[in-house]
Amino acid sequence: MKVKVKKTKEISYDTLCPCGSGKSYGECCKKKKIKYEIDGDKLIQKVHMSDELFETIKDVENQFEEYYNRRPGKDDFLVSFAPSFNDEVLLQIIYAMRESGMPEEKIYAYYKTNGLLPTNFNIDYIPDKDLKEFNDFCNEYLELMNESKEDGMNALKFVMLSNSFLFDEIDYIFEALLATCNDFIRRHTNPDEALSFTTKDPLDFCVFSVIKTVKTLQSIEKLQKNHLPECIYSLGRSFFENYMYMSAINADLDFFNKKLLPIIDSEKYNFVIEPNGKISRKKVVEKSSGEKINIKVIISQMKKYLNIEADIQLYEEFYEDTCKYVHVDILSAKQYYSIIDIYDELDPTLIATVSVLSIVLMLLNKICECELVSQQYITDFKFLSNKLCKKLITCLKIIDSDPMHKIPLITTLLERLSNNN
């Protein structure tokens, strides 16, 4: 059987070049390794496929077959397994470019041209018009960064300088918070008892809270480097919940004795056994008296222990809002699918991290209100807290100064740290 080969015809030398340069095809793309052909009523640009690209396509096809037990067909996407939402692929490439040290003006041009990046290996396959557009965007970036205005600065310059400042400050704050948390644990625990640690009093709960803070901070640090703001907010919720617990313990010692201690004091209490034989996690029975005690803690009812108006506002703007990332909440869909302009909006990962670190500082200050905490540590931490508070306030002011992207949470955190550290 003979195979019918579909024939195409190259466009003529004098035809206006399809690249849009305004020149004839013969004086433009034909001089490079760019070829345009006619297939019926369709115009086709033939693209050279490198050996590396050919091998990549083969690998993708093999992976498709491995997962689905069939070869990809004409209706399947070549890049089916790559993310197709939130511009994730584009952003990850840009983050990788920055880490490699590529000049920012080239990254800006790559972004503005939807993925064009001229190199010595592909320049012969890129139309002159596209090369000019790329170079024009490189120059545009440099001009905007060097622009000086009496009434402020342009959006791109504000974003680039602010992101750089926030990134450096966050690094310092992370390091300082982790260091002082480790110091708190060393000063308030006996290393010989580490494996048999039990929570017997509010100080033990403080130690537990600080250890949990260290673990969560370490996770958030990784999430920040991987640019996952939704997950940062999700984890950050635990800091505010811990803050509410510490507020309750400091305000009412009975809260610890009646709601928390019975859970772990197996010498005095047992969990109630329900009629169906299941263990209740909401009630305990005191062994000596037989009295049943309700130990269920309802987070919303703990707002009464928040004696600062801004804290109540934070409960609504931070804690309740971050719940949509923890639970399956349809309201979070918009955030997951949102696409930002990285040269017009501050990095949402940095905004999320600054927000969460502000809550951590509040938590550590609340822990220091416990009367069992070492006075020397309180004095030492107060000095560090004031320093970190000033840094966070500066970060919050920068984020809050963007008139086109106001965030109520940032405004409330700024008020909270400015008036009550």
Side-chain angles (χ1 to χ4, degrees), residues 166-400:
L166 292 175
F167 184 84
D168 290 341
E169 291 295 274
I170 284 172
D171 259 9
Y172 181 93
I173 295 168
F174 259 124
E175 183 179 355
L177 287 174
L178 285 169
T180 194
C181 283
N182 286 324
D183 184 36
F184 180 95
I185 296 166
R186 286 184 180 277
R187 293 200 205 187
H188 296 91
T189 57
N190 182 347
D192 296 333
E193 299 175 355
L195 295 178
S196 58
F197 179 82
T198 56
T199 309
K200 305 179 296 297
D201 55 36
L203 179 60
D204 291 334
F205 187 85
C206 290
V207 173
F208 157 69
S209 297
V210 175
I211 292 174
K212 182 173 173 57
T213 297
V214 169
K215 297 292 186 181
T216 309
L217 275 174
Q218 290 170 336
S219 298
I220 287 176
E221 197 169 17
K222 290 185 172 73
L223 292 172
Q224 184 220 331
K225 295 186 187 317
N226 284 283
H227 306 275
L228 297 168
E230 298 86 6
C231 298
I232 290 173
Y233 283 125
S234 182
L235 272 184
R237 187 185 98 147
S238 69
F239 291 132
F240 196 86
E241 185 169 312
N242 206 159
Y243 177 79
M244 296 180 76
Y245 269 89
M246 286 306 311
S247 297
I249 291 171
N250 290 341
D252 182 6
L253 188 58
D254 276 349
F255 177 84
F256 178 83
N257 291 331
K258 293 182 178 180
K259 293 291 186 180
L260 301 179
L261 190 59
I263 298 174
I264 55 173
D265 191 349
S266 58
E267 292 183 5
K268 294 182 180 179
Y269 303 92
N270 281 329
F271 284 104
V272 169
I273 306 298
E274 301 289 0
N276 60 8
K278 292 186 177 180
I279 297 176
S280 170
R281 297 297 176 181
K282 300 177 182 178
K283 295 179 181 178
V284 295
V285 59
E286 189 175 21
K287 292 180 179 180
S288 60
S289 65
E291 178 188 2
K292 290 183 179 180
I293 303 172
N294 185 351
I295 57 171
K296 183 178 180 181
V297 175
I298 300 175
I299 296 297
S300 60
Q301 294 179 358
M302 293 173 67
K303 286 196 294 183
K304 64 183 179 182
Y305 297 111
L306 301 176
N307 54 12
I308 300 174
E309 185 63 31
D311 283 355
I312 299 174
Q313 188 73 12
L314 282 175
Y315 173 82
E316 296 171 356
E317 292 179 352
F318 181 80
Y319 186 84
E320 284 192 342
D321 195 49
T322 56
C323 285
K324 68 180 180 228
Y325 300 117
V326 179
H327 307 301
V328 181
D329 188 333
I330 193 65
L331 291 174
S332 68
K334 183 178 179 180
Q335 179 67 26
Y336 284 107
Y337 278 92
S338 65
I339 298 174
I340 69 161
D341 183 338
I342 61 172
Y343 289 102
D344 185 63
E345 302 174 52
L346 293 177
D347 187 337
T349 303
L350 298 177
I351 295 174
T353 305
V354 169
S355 302
V356 167
L357 293 181
S358 298
I359 303 294
V360 173
L361 188 64
M362 289 169 50
L363 169 60
L364 293 179
N365 273 286
K366 185 62 68 174
I367 287 172
C368 284
E369 291 179 14
C370 175
E371 60 184 15
L372 299 177
V373 172
S374 156
Q375 286 301 311
Q376 184 59 60
Y377 178 82
I378 294 174
T379 301
D380 293 340
F381 176 73
K382 207 65 184 174
F383 177 84
L384 176 61
S385 176
N386 289 333
K387 180 182 289 188
L388 297 184
C389 187
K390 289 177 183 177
K391 286 182 175 293
L392 284 167
I393 286 173
T394 302
C395 292
L396 292 166
K397 283 182 177 178
I398 289 173
I399 299 170
D400 198 50

Side-chain angles (χ1 to χ4, degrees), residues 83-150:
S84 60
F85 56 92
N86 201 25
D87 272 2
E88 185 175 339
V89 173
L90 175 64
L91 291 175
Q92 290 300 328
I93 291 173
I94 288 174
Y95 297 143
M97 287 177 171
R98 285 175 173 168
E99 287 184 14
S100 72
M102 180 178 290
E104 191 65 36
E105 65 269 20
K106 290 190 175 183
I107 300 175
Y108 176 79
Y110 171 86
Y111 178 76
K112 288 292 186 178
T113 56
N114 293 316
L116 181 65
L117 186 63
T119 68
N120 291 335
F121 300 103
N122 68 2
I123 196 167
D124 288 336
Y125 300 98
I126 302 175
D128 289 342
K129 177 178 176 292
D130 293 345
L131 289 174
K132 181 180 182 305
E133 183 182 34
F134 182 89
N135 290 326
D136 286 345
F137 277 124
C138 286
N139 293 329
E140 178 180 273
Y141 175 86
L142 295 173
E143 288 171 5
L144 288 170
M145 288 300 293
N146 291 317
E147 184 179 67
S148 179
K149 297 169 64 176
E150 293 183 0

